[in-house]
Amino acid sequence: MSNTFLPFHQPEIGPEEISSVVETLESGWLTSGSKAKIFEEDFSRFIGCQYSVAVNSCTAALHLALEAVGIEEGDEVIVPTMTFTATAEVVVYFKAKPVLVDCRPNTLNIDPDLIERAITTKTKAIIPVHFGGQSCDMDAILRIARKHKLYVIEDAAHALPAKYHGKTIGTIGDITCFSFYATKTITTGEGGMATTQNPDWAARMRMMSLHGISQDAWKRYTKEGSWYYEVVRPGFKYNLTDIGAAIGIEQLKKCDAFGAARARIAATYDQGFSDLSEIETPVCESDLQHAWHLYVIQLNLDQLKIDRHQFIEALKEQGIGTSVHFIPLHLHRYYRESFGSTPEDFPMATEIYQRIISLPIYPKMTGSQIARVVEGVRNTVKHYRR
Ligand SMILES: Cc1ncc(COP(=O)(O)O)c(C=O)c1O
């Protein structure tokens, strides 16, 4: 077995991205400009949505989305506990309250049956997170949202390219937010995109992403632009640079191929672990296209002599990098102290958290590296099974 460490993630950057960046650097226009516009247009075409607003992170997109639909102090927004803090922290930016909801045991997605119980007169929106790249039960979520007149802001940080019953993620909820962070299916280093079919929300997000100054403010240094601008609202500084967009334009061309490569690795893992009762492989629901951002195994700890941490250490000793997605929000100090959440409030996420490990899954992995992960997991199970 090779001694070289296999990292949990490595981006797939080709000569196309490199020359696109060099061309942008040489163009003399580095910040948001024509490349960001092209990236937005390409993204809208790829997703099949009306409007795409390029920003510098998914967190920024989520913040802008909540601002656009009018979240205010004192409102409540439903978010899953099984997510990254970004999903909930943006709610706190408004002095609104993130109301956590437990996950389903199979997909680890938010449990729609529990959403309805969390709704109060203050609830204004739901932020479903497509965990690992597999769509939430959007029919159920949209039904609840319509019944209670709630906005649906999808956190699709993991879900590119992904589909739900034939519909592309990015065309379903009111606003959908994507991430181009380094580990995501496509990357711009740091970056994100908000998609919507609503022209008012798109315009609002665009304006607020650049200080809340009047439209096309980015043009003010161009020949067509004017020095005059007006500040309409106190906005944010969330625009995506043309350097990032230059990478994104090239990455997007490869997005389907990247998705297919991840799906092939997932299928190899499924096959490689199919005879091991000590681990559960991810459950895929029917009629979905999974983006396979994450491949999360669940350990059956009663069949093993080691815990999850020791399992991760055993894989590390074999040169395999892993991660854990996620430490549920209700177990973090901030959420415990601010909202008084206890492990018992979210029994499913609390229990599953003890047993989950995310394995490496990215297009740059070679056949022998994928085989190494399968072998590493199998060896660990064989060595530590009861
Ligand atoms: C579910 C989820 N939402 C949001 C984010 C934030 O994405 P970004 O780093 O682009 O702000 C992440 C980051 O990994 C995430 O996993």
Side-chain angles (χ1 to χ4, degrees), residues 56-60 62 82-87 129-130 155-158 178-181 183-184 190-192 293 325-326:
N56 57 16
S57 71
C58 180
T59 310
L62 288 164
M82 191 53 103
T83 188
F84 186 59
T85 187
T87 318
V129 175
H130 305 303
D155 180 338
H158 303 177
F178 294 91
S179 173
F180 309 134
Y181 179 68
T183 60
K184 299 302 190 297
E190 298 280 359
H293 168 58
H325 297 86
F326 291 96

Side-chain angles (χ1 to χ4, degrees), residues 62 127-128 130 138 152-156 169-170 172-177:
L62 288 164
I127 312 183
H130 305 303
M138 291 308 293
V152 176
I153 308 296
E154 289 172 67
D155 180 338
I169 298 296
I172 302 173
D174 291 310
I175 301 175
T176 306
C177 302

Side-chain angles (χ1 to χ4, degrees), residues 284-304:
C284 294
E285 304 215 303
S286 57
D287 198 16
L288 299 180
Q289 183 186 336
H290 197 315
W292 290 113
H293 168 58
L294 299 176
Y295 187 95
V296 177
I297 57 169
Q298 297 186 30
L299 304 179
N300 285 324
L301 293 173
D302 52 340
Q303 298 182 39
L304 292 164

